[in-house]
Amino acid sequence: MNLFKIEIKRAIFNKNMLIALLIGIVIVLPHTIQNLLNEIEIKNYIAEAGLSSGADLTSLYGRWFGMSTDFLAIMFYYILPLLAVYPGAMIYYKDRKSGYVKNLYTRFSKNKCLIIKYITTFISGGVAVVIPLLTAFLLTSLYAPARIPDSLVMNPVVDINMWSELFFTHPLLYTLGYMLIDFIFGGLFACLAMSVSEFVKHKFSVFISSFLVVAALSFVCVQLNLDYLNPQNFLSPAQFVTAANGYVVLIEALILFVVSFSLFYIGGKINETF
């Protein structure tokens, strides 16, 4: 019996994942539809004015949802921890309460069970976050030209932003790189909540745990004028702050991994019964 295959299916193909994906897609769709209407308007204007198709300097890479700074984009990254937590972490909480995890320990080693649970929950959190973003990007690519962004056209990314050179030379790599960052942090938020479930009995407390951690960090960053440390700012490809730093992203990811894995592993080893 392949435990990983069983657990990855349970972590991804479940009702909670479907709900998280639907919420995420509902958030990104209005911007994508409005983008299409704007594209039609631009094309009509160019045709009526007798201009060449080259008059439209906008690019897919600067127009898709991830590069937006409107209310829905801000909201998406604000609730990102909740979307990440809902599929895998909440399934683990139910598994502990139902005795499913204890049953696994009778057939597999505890170390193996804990490591596989961590990996599959990490993947589920990343999937819940990235699929809506990937959907928005692919839908926008159906009508927006995938040209190299022009530095003369207004873009959210400017020269002092993280990976700005990559954005203006290899924008697809920039986009995929940011989706990878969002996948990693989505997975880590899910694992952090799962680790909390080892010590907290209330379901809602587990659900909002990662969200509260990010909210608390955001509050501290605002008070100390350290916006570049706030994940809600640097997780967006639009980079809500110009001071986003790759080292900060890496260090925060490592801290989240160490904290979440340590708490989960220690809690899992301690909790022999449920």
Side-chain angles (χ1 to χ4, degrees):
M1 182 183 298
N2 191 318
L3 181 60
F4 178 80
K5 287 184 178 181
I6 294 173
E7 292 303 317
I8 195 65
K9 288 180 180 179
R10 296 183 70 250
I12 293 180
F13 300 101
N14 60 69
K15 183 177 68 174
N16 289 5
M17 176 65 81
L18 179 60
I19 292 173
L21 292 179
L22 286 176
I23 292 174
I25 291 173
V26 165
I27 292 175
V28 306
L29 274 182
H31 177 273
T32 306
I33 294 173
Q34 185 59 51
N35 244 344
L36 173 59
L37 298 177
N38 291 342
E39 182 71 16
I40 294 174
E41 186 175 338
I42 291 172
K43 296 297 184 185
N44 289 339
Y45 173 80
I46 290 176
E48 292 173 0
L51 302 174
S52 67
S53 58
D56 180 10
L57 298 178
T58 59
S59 168
L60 158 67
Y61 302 107
R63 292 182 59 183
W64 75 285
F65 177 82
M67 300 302 287
S68 173
T69 57
D70 64 13
F71 171 76
L72 287 177
I74 294 173
M75 183 175 73
F76 179 86
Y77 287 99
Y78 186 72
I79 68 169
L80 185 149
L82 298 177
L83 296 177
V85 165
Y86 196 55
M90 300 313 295
I91 290 295
Y92 179 75
Y93 175 85
K94 292 178 181 178
D95 287 348
R96 290 186 68 247
K97 292 298 182 181
S98 67
Y100 174 84
V101 174
K102 184 179 179 180
N103 184 48
L104 283 182
Y105 292 161
T106 64
R107 293 181 290 165
F108 303 95
S109 71
K110 175 169 275 193
N111 285 342
K112 181 177 182 178
C113 291
L114 291 174
I115 292 173
I116 287 179
K117 276 292 187 182
Y118 189 92
I119 293 172
T120 55
T121 299
F122 177 89
I123 293 173
S124 74
V127 168
V129 167
V130 167
I131 291 298
L133 293 174
L134 185 59
T135 299
F137 181 77
L138 292 177
L139 288 176
T140 306
S141 71
L142 295 177
Y143 56 81
R147 60 169 61 96
I148 301 294
D150 193 323
S151 60
L152 298 178
V153 177
M154 183 177 294
N155 286 296
V157 179
V158 295
D159 291 342
I160 60 175
N161 282 127
M162 182 176 73
W163 296 353
S164 59
E165 184 176 350
L166 188 64
F167 177 74
F168 289 109
T169 55
H170 299 90
L172 180 58
L173 292 181
Y174 176 91
T175 303
L176 294 177
Y178 250 96
M179 286 191 182
L180 177 61
I181 290 176
D182 290 345
F183 183 95
I184 291 172
F185 273 85
L188 291 173
F189 290 147
C191 290
L192 180 61
M194 181 176 65
S195 70
V196 170
S197 71
E198 294 284 6
F199 306 94
V200 176
K201 295 182 179 180
H202 300 289
K203 182 178 181 179
F204 185 71
S205 298
V206 173
F207 176 58
I208 66 170
S209 56
S210 290
F211 175 81
L212 290 179
V213 169
V214 176
L217 178 59
S218 176
F219 176 79
V220 172
C221 289
V222 170
Q223 298 303 311
L224 300 180
N225 196 28
L226 297 172
D227 287 340
Y228 65 95
L229 296 178
N230 185 356
Q232 291 176 343
N233 288 331
F234 65 65
L235 288 179
S236 167
Q239 300 189 39
F240 297 147
V241 294
T242 56
N245 185 294
Y247 292 110
V248 170
V249 176
L250 177 60
I251 290 172
E252 290 198 18
L254 288 175
I255 291 174
L256 275 173
F257 168 70
V258 171
V259 171
S260 62
F261 185 79
S262 298
L263 288 176
F264 177 65
Y265 191 79
I266 293 171
K269 295 291 283 186
I270 293 174
N271 293 327
E272 296 291 341
T273 59
F274 303 94

